[in-house]
Every structure is written in C-alpha cells, then in structure tokens.
Amino acid sequence: MNPATPEVRRHRDADEVGRAAAEETVAVARQAVEARGRFFVALSGGSTPRRLYELLAESPYRERIRWSEVEFFWSDERAVDPDHPASNFRRAREALLQKVGVPPERIHRVQAERADLDAAAREYQRELARVFGVLEDGPPPRFDLVLLGMGADGHTASLFPRTLALREPLRWVVPSRAPVDPRDRLTFTLPLIDRARCVLFLVIGADKAAVLAEVLEGARDPERLPSQGVDPTDGRLLWLVDEAAASRLRLGAA
Ligand code: 6PG
C-alpha cells in the first residue's frame, strides 16, 4: 500500500522549526485534552528537539498546555543512566520537564539502564498498557503525538537500517543496536508509532539534506531508510524541516 503523502513544511531555520513544532504540539494537546481528558506524547531524543522543549517551557506556550494532563513517554532511549549526558530523558528533563512542574506520576521514563534490556522493554510495554488503560497483549495504544527525529543514515527513534527492531511486527517496544555509541537502545516499533494520531518529524541541518531528499522523494526502501517506514494508519504525518535540511528537495521553497 502506498504510504499517505506526508505533509512537509519548510522553515527558515532551527528556531522557526522549533516554534512551528511548539504550535503543533499545543494544538494537538488541546484537542486531545478536550476529547479525552489527557494528552499522550512520546518525546524524541537527540539534539534536534531541544529548541522545541525550551520553547514549550517558556511563554506563551507554557501557559497553553495543562501539564498535569500530559502523559510523557519517550520514543526511544539509550542504555545509559538517567543522569548520563546522552540520556534522552535527561535532555527532556533539563529543557522542559523540571521547568513546568510535571507531576512525577505523569513522567514515564524508560528504564534503559537495566542490564536486561529485553525485560526493560517488556516492562515499558506494561507501563504503556497500564497508563493507556489497554491490554498489554492487545493492539498498540494510540498516542496523540509521537515526536521523531531522523539520523543522517535515515534512522528514526532507534530503528536503524536492516535491524530486527525495524521488522518487529507485534511488540510495541524492543531493544535495538545502534551503529554508533551508545549502541544499546530501547525503541518504539513501527506498529506502535503508526497507531499515532499525529507523527511529527523535526529535521534540521545541512547534514540531513541528502537523506531527507532520499526519504521524501527517492525510491521506497524502508529497510535501508527506516524513516520511510513511518506511515500512520489513521493519523497525520507532518515533517517540519529547516531550509538547510530541505536544500536538496525538489519541493518548492517556502
Ligand atoms: C536518538 C534519537 C534519534 C535522533 C536522530 C537525530 O536517541 O538519538 O531518537 O532517532 O532523533 O538520531 O538526532 P539529532 O537530532 O541529534 O540529529
């Protein structure tokens, strides 16, 4: 089945991408809380989302989200302690969570520091099922928003090219191996990501230009370009990219 045509919006620079992402996040959060009383979000890792997290912690965005009604998860995590500089949890805690007073019970950290990563993945799936109020061995729950980044090799979350994690058909969270340190990870799988109501990719920087053009406009090859494998079955797929990352796209300039 051909994937839904993704919506791609080009912005001048990283700050504008961050602002556009903050607007989208606030809008999705408001819709979710009005419709279902809570906003379920999966934060992404790496460096790209930092500006988004900083903006959400400041006016005017800070006041536009009721933080006690947000359930925070992570779409992937590195197998490091939560205070390690490479921890995606630490990055989000420093840039956002500790600034806006999120109740601890709303923060669902991946325990990726555990020695047994498969057990940690199964525990995270159990936590997802508990918080969403669904059966652990049933269909994946529906996030209101899954934030994703993309590596220069086309990976997303910690779904790397030609890996078992990328092909996982049933589990919602699995261990994975990265080609770069920190190598051991835990990641959402495509079955979970694709159930989201909205998937938002943030991509900035000239180093992503070649792969972004391949992912969005090249031949379909999700095994080689995992970001192409993201195809929400009943949800919105939105790419917010800066001009540097978009420089190789045939798409019209903003
Ligand atoms: C991670 C991320 C990963 C990231 C991309 C882009 O844990 O590393 O989840 O998928 O989004 O590698 O990373 P940058 O934003 O640092 O370029």
Side-chain angles (χ1 to χ4, degrees), residues 43-50 75-78 86 88 91 147-153 155-160 185-187 202-204 207-208:
L43 301 180
S44 60
S47 55
T48 298
R50 181 171 187 84
S75 49
D76 73 323
E77 185 56 279
R78 291 88 177 272
N88 291 334
R91 292 175 181 203
L147 292 168
L148 293 175
M150 183 178 68
D153 62 353
H155 83 261
T156 189
S158 284
L159 298 170
F160 291 92
R185 316 273 182 105
L186 284 178
T187 186
L202 305 188
V203 184
I204 60 173
D207 63 321
K208 307 286 177 71

Side-chain angles (χ1 to χ4, degrees), residues 216-236:
L216 292 179
E217 299 177 339
R220 184 162 171 71
D221 186 0
E223 273 288 295
R224 185 172 67 86
L225 299 166
S227 295
Q228 283 186 340
V230 174
D231 179 21
T233 42
D234 180 20
R236 196 167 157 232

Side-chain angles (χ1 to χ4, degrees), residues 21 24-43 65 69-73 128 131-132 140-148 188 192-201 232 234-238:
E24 286 295 332
T25 302
V26 166
V28 172
R30 183 181 300 277
Q31 287 162 5
V33 169
E34 279 169 11
R36 291 172 295 280
R38 282 188 289 178
F39 170 46
F40 290 84
V41 60
L43 301 180
I65 291 182
E69 285 150 350
V70 183
E71 299 286 2
F72 284 97
F73 291 85
L128 280 157
V131 177
F132 273 92
R142 297 199 71 192
F143 272 90
D144 297 301
L145 177 62
V146 173
L147 292 168
L148 293 175
F188 276 14
L192 178 56
I193 292 170
D194 285 346
R195 288 269 294 163
R197 291 184 174 85
C198 181
V199 177
L200 181 53
F201 272 98
D234 180 20
R236 196 167 157 232
L237 176 57
L238 174 59

Side-chain angles (χ1 to χ4, degrees), residues 43-46 49-50 52-54 56-57 62 67 72-74 77 80-104 107-110 113:
L43 301 180
S44 60
R50 181 171 187 84
L52 164 61
Y53 299 159
E54 290 170 344
L56 289 174
R62 177 195 183 109
W67 298 104
F72 284 97
F73 291 85
W74 277 259
E77 185 56 279
V80 296
D81 286 337
D83 291 325
H84 189 285
S87 162
N88 291 334
F89 164 78
R90 173 175 165 174
R91 292 175 181 203
R93 182 184 61 192
E94 288 179 345
L96 174 59
L97 302 181
Q98 65 190 20
K99 295 179 183 173
V100 296
V102 179
I107 298 173
H108 310 288
R109 184 179 71 79
V110 188
E113 69 277 13

